[in-house]
Amino acid sequence: MDGNLKNHIEYLLCVKITAIRPISGGDISQAFLLETETEQFFCKINRNEQAFQMFQNEKAGLEAISKTKTIATPKVFLCDKLEDGAFFLMEYIEAKKNGSNNMKALGHQLAALHLHSRRNEFGWKTDNFIGSLPQSNKKHSNWVTFYVEERLLPQLKMAYDSGGLNAAEIPVERLIFERCKNLFPKVKPSLLHGDLWSGNYLISENGTPFLIDPAVYYGHHEVDIAMTKLFGGFDTSFYNAYSEIFPKIGQEKERHEIYQLYYLLVHLNLFGGSYKSSVMEIIKKYF
């Protein structure tokens, strides 16, 4: 972090920053812990030309989750442009090792978040981002139509355009719709985190679960659960607690794999061919 940005933050917050150190902050942004005599702040810096829009969308997502009063999110302080990119300043949450009681609380609170619904309105008020990729949130009254047209088809097209998948590897659109219609139940739109892997939640020192880095929209609540299982899964106590509010109805495994296809396509488009075999495994299985 350069001195000009430090001075700018000090001016806006009317505080004196006494220490700055780089910390882990994800794959697409630099992250820093800023310390004053009485407070700590988490600061992300991104030099992408879309950085300000990305951070604005993240801010809106955190605030939307916070307004439900179901699960904690870090308090947002500043989101501003830089000459090249943008920065995002929020409350720093000191994390601790997860315990089964904390994961049980996370399961209950995520389910409570998912109970926040809008009648027949899948999508979000604006488009946003999944990682650094654009995520289309055009509103639909039908979940199958939303998921196919706003999730799978844009990522499949992106993979084709970049050479990640060839024409023979792209499933026929009609088959995608048919399979999803057969597997997806009639659902109410739930407010989703949208990118819930193990790096996007934390447990504070006092045991409070926090959600971070959301990609929010209204969708089927199982999408968040499917994402939690993509890279190893969460503690069993999380799923048991969640199922107390959203019991299983059958064919979860099949739906979860189709929901995971979206995230695997995102990873293919962000990080390259190492994810292609996982993408093709699901495409061949279902389409």
Side-chain angles (χ1 to χ4, degrees):
M1 176 182 290
D2 63 42
N4 288 336
L5 178 54
K6 172 181 174 291
N7 293 339
H8 183 55
I9 293 172
E10 288 180 329
Y11 172 76
L12 292 174
L13 293 181
C14 298
V15 298
K16 177 66 175 177
I17 297 171
T18 58
I20 301 173
R21 60 183 175 90
I23 55 176
S24 174
D27 299 311
I28 62 174
S29 298
Q30 293 178 293
F32 298 89
L33 172 61
L34 311 184
E35 297 182 352
T36 73
E37 290 185 356
T38 58
E39 295 179 273
Q40 293 180 316
F41 300 93
F42 177 75
C43 183
K44 292 201 292 189
I45 301 172
N46 190 290
R47 302 297 180 179
N48 188 298
E49 63 180 11
Q50 294 180 308
F52 183 65
Q53 186 180 355
M54 288 167 54
F55 288 154
Q56 285 282 82
N57 290 150
E58 181 179 347
K59 175 178 180 287
L62 290 170
E63 291 173 345
I65 293 171
S66 178
K67 285 178 182 178
T68 68
K69 300 188 184 303
T70 57
I71 189 165
T73 60
K75 181 180 178 181
V76 173
F77 293 103
L78 296 172
C79 180
D80 205 356
K81 292 180 180 179
L82 300 171
E83 287 187 7
D84 56 337
F87 76 95
F88 189 28
L89 191 76
M90 67 191 89
E91 175 186 11
Y92 177 74
I93 308 298
E94 188 72 49
K96 73 166 190 173
K97 186 177 180 181
N98 303 338
S100 60
N101 287 339
N102 306 133
M103 295 306 292
K104 181 179 179 180
L106 178 62
H108 282 149
Q109 292 175 21
L110 181 69
L113 173 68
H114 289 168
L115 289 173
H116 279 259
S117 180
R118 285 188 175 176
R119 182 180 296 178
N120 297 325
E121 195 175 81
F122 298 96
W124 188 241
K125 54 190 174 183
T126 63
D127 294 341
N128 52 22
F129 292 84
I130 180 77
S132 59
L133 297 182
Q135 178 169 262
S136 175
N137 291 319
K138 180 182 177 181
K139 293 177 182 177
H140 293 264
S141 60
N142 180 277
W143 169 240
V144 171
T145 303
F146 176 87
Y147 188 70
V148 175
E149 292 188 359
E150 310 303 327
R151 291 295 175 265
L152 292 184
L153 294 184
Q155 292 296 325
L156 286 166
K157 182 181 185 303
M158 193 180 300
Y160 174 76
D161 290 345
S162 68
L165 296 176
N166 63 48
E169 293 167 329
I170 304 290
V172 176
E173 186 174 320
R174 174 181 56 82
L175 294 179
I176 300 176
F177 271 102
E178 287 180 1
R179 175 61 79 174
C180 291
K181 285 178 182 178
N182 290 334
L183 281 175
F184 293 1
K186 186 176 181 179
V187 298
K188 292 181 179 180
S190 292
L191 182 59
L192 306 182
H193 175 280
D195 190 15
L196 191 55
W197 65 290
S198 61
N200 281 348
Y201 80 89
L202 54 85
I203 306 297
S204 72
E205 287 187 311
N206 68 2
T208 301
F210 280 77
L211 295 183
I212 58 175
D213 291 343
V216 299
Y217 64 99
Y218 284 93
H220 186 195
H221 63 88
E222 286 183 11
V223 173
D224 273 349
I225 300 301
M227 182 54 176
T228 69
K229 296 181 176 181
L230 184 55
F231 300 116
F234 290 8
D235 188 270
T236 302
S237 60
F238 165 83
Y239 299 106
N240 290 342
Y242 185 86
S243 65
E244 292 174 14
I245 301 174
F246 285 98
K248 292 182 179 181
I249 61 173
Q251 294 188 298
E252 278 81 6
K253 181 177 186 295
E254 291 83 358
R255 287 192 297 275
H256 289 181
E257 289 181 342
I258 292 177
Y259 293 155
Q260 287 169 353
L261 176 59
Y262 172 63
Y263 294 107
L264 289 168
L265 284 165
V266 167
H267 279 73
L268 174 65
N269 289 323
L270 277 174
F271 306 118
S274 61
Y275 291 94
K276 182 174 181 178
S277 61
S278 298
V279 167
M280 291 309 303
E281 183 179 350
I282 295 175
I283 287 176
K284 290 176 180 177
K285 184 174 181 179
Y286 291 102
F287 309 119

